[in-house]
Amino acid sequence: MPLNAPSMTQNDSDLGGNEGDPRLQLTKIANPSEDFEKKTSSKRLKDVEIYVPIVFGTIAFWLGKKATETQSHRWSVYVRGATNEDLSGVIKKVVFQLHPSFNNPVRVVESPPFELSECGWGEFEIAISLLFHDDVGEKKLDLYHHLKLYAENEPGPQSTKKPIVVETYNEIVFPDPPEDFFSRIQNHPAVVVPRHPATFKLPPAPIEDLHALKRGDTKNHPLSQWFINFSEADELLKLTAARQRVQAHIVKLRRQLSVMDELPQTFKLDSD
């Protein structure tokens, strides 16, 4: 087994969070893929945003009597749905970049659950790259997570039964999504989509296999009892819904202004 890197010194605010201090983020995908724009005929839906709530993090167990100098902990790093839904409708694969002391430090996970497990003794930063399905039309998203093995605020020896859990909540925002992508995932449980105007003419939504939708979820994951329940996430989802209502109202007002601009000038004067 590899020798992990020594513990990196960073501020707690840079390490993500723990059971008492989970981090909440919002990542907006602002640079659509130029290659996608050239290859696809799917039009983008203006003034529409899709939200995908995710959680990424690590869970580390001390090995107790089985611990050695080079293998003191067994840990897992993962990306999951914020409500443990299957993310494979949006994410095609996840690339985990471990410390170079590991054999094959670049690990590619092409199916859910998007996770890997290892053994080691040191803390280091893990780079996590999310690669999306082709019809999403966006570049990859790079995230960073600091593997944490030791509790800082708990006196006494470590426990083999209580792991060190560090998770970060993040909402990935896809602005102006392609029609094909929107149509495909509009009923997916892992995705928050706005109510679109009745005038939108979208391709028919595919009939989803309910078994397939649940195949990659993490609701019955062996580590699920340790997953952080992000109560703050509920508030963020409420804010998301409020933003969507405001967004829909703005679209409606823009259409009304556009209609007014097209009216004859004499009609406008009579109306005044």
Side-chain angles (χ1 to χ4, degrees):
M1 286 295 177
L3 294 176
N4 293 31
S7 175
M8 298 175 65
T9 56
Q10 294 187 7
N11 295 328
D12 288 346
S13 60
D14 295 328
L15 300 182
N18 52 42
E19 292 185 41
D21 181 29
R23 290 186 63 188
L24 302 150
Q25 299 179 352
L26 184 71
T27 301
K28 189 167 185 175
I29 307 292
N31 299 312
S33 169
E34 294 181 2
D35 292 338
F36 174 82
E37 300 296 337
K38 294 177 181 178
K39 294 178 182 178
T40 186
S41 60
S42 180
K43 293 186 292 186
R44 288 187 173 270
L45 300 175
K46 298 298 182 182
D47 303 313
V48 172
E49 290 183 336
I50 292 176
Y51 298 81
V52 182
I54 69 168
V55 172
F56 60 95
T58 50
I59 295 179
F61 285 89
W62 180 52
L63 296 178
K65 294 180 179 180
K66 297 180 180 179
T68 66
E69 290 185 1
T70 59
Q71 294 186 32
S72 61
H73 292 75
R74 180 163 184 80
W75 51 265
S76 298
V77 58
Y78 50 85
V79 179
R80 65 179 178 88
T83 55
N84 293 308
E85 301 289 355
D86 183 1
L87 293 174
S88 62
V90 177
I91 299 175
K92 184 177 183 179
K93 59 184 176 182
V94 176
V95 179
F96 296 96
Q97 175 73 56
L98 307 182
H99 189 269
S101 61
F102 282 89
N103 292 325
N104 184 28
V106 179
R107 312 283 179 88
V108 181
V109 181
E110 297 186 345
S111 60
F114 298 110
E115 64 180 17
L116 64 86
S117 297
E118 266 292 355
C119 287
W121 62 269
E123 300 180 350
F124 60 93
E125 186 176 66
I126 302 174
I128 305 172
S129 296
L130 310 184
L131 286 83
F132 306 112
H133 287 286
D134 293 341
D135 64 352
V136 177
E138 308 294 351
K139 299 178 180 179
K140 69 176 182 177
L141 175 62
D142 292 324
L143 306 170
Y144 299 91
H145 180 80
H146 191 88
L147 171 63
K148 203 164 171 55
L149 305 181
Y150 304 95
E152 297 181 355
N153 300 319
E154 294 186 11
Q158 291 192 75
S159 170
T160 58
K161 297 181 179 179
K162 183 179 180 181
I164 302 300
V165 183
V166 181
E167 291 192 329
T168 299
Y169 175 94
N170 193 317
E171 282 188 2
I172 308 175
V173 184
F174 297 95
D176 302 337
E179 285 185 351
D180 291 345
F181 172 49
F182 186 97
S183 176
R184 180 172 64 82
I185 53 82
Q186 60 181 308
N187 297 319
H188 198 288
V191 179
V192 179
V193 298
R195 286 181 289 180
H196 53 81
T199 54
F200 276 18
K201 295 182 179 179
L202 296 171
I207 299 176
E208 298 284 5
D209 183 347
L210 294 178
H211 176 70
L213 287 177
K214 296 180 179 180
R215 187 171 53 206
D217 68 29
T218 51
K219 294 180 179 179
N220 297 315
H221 193 280
L223 298 176
S224 61
Q225 64 174 312
W226 304 112
F227 291 163
I228 297 175
N229 181 18
F230 285 88
S231 58
E232 293 89 345
D234 295 334
E235 296 302 320
L236 283 178
L237 290 175
K238 290 178 182 178
L239 290 175
T240 297
R243 287 197 299 266
Q244 292 170 350
R245 289 194 294 270
V246 172
Q247 186 179 24
H249 188 61
I250 291 174
V251 171
K252 181 179 179 180
L253 290 176
R254 285 178 178 174
R255 289 201 178 96
Q256 291 175 346
L257 289 174
S258 177
V259 171
M260 291 294 294
D261 289 340
E262 294 174 359
L263 291 175
Q265 185 66 27
T266 53
F267 182 81
K268 293 181 183 179
L269 293 175
D270 291 341
S271 299
D272 294 340

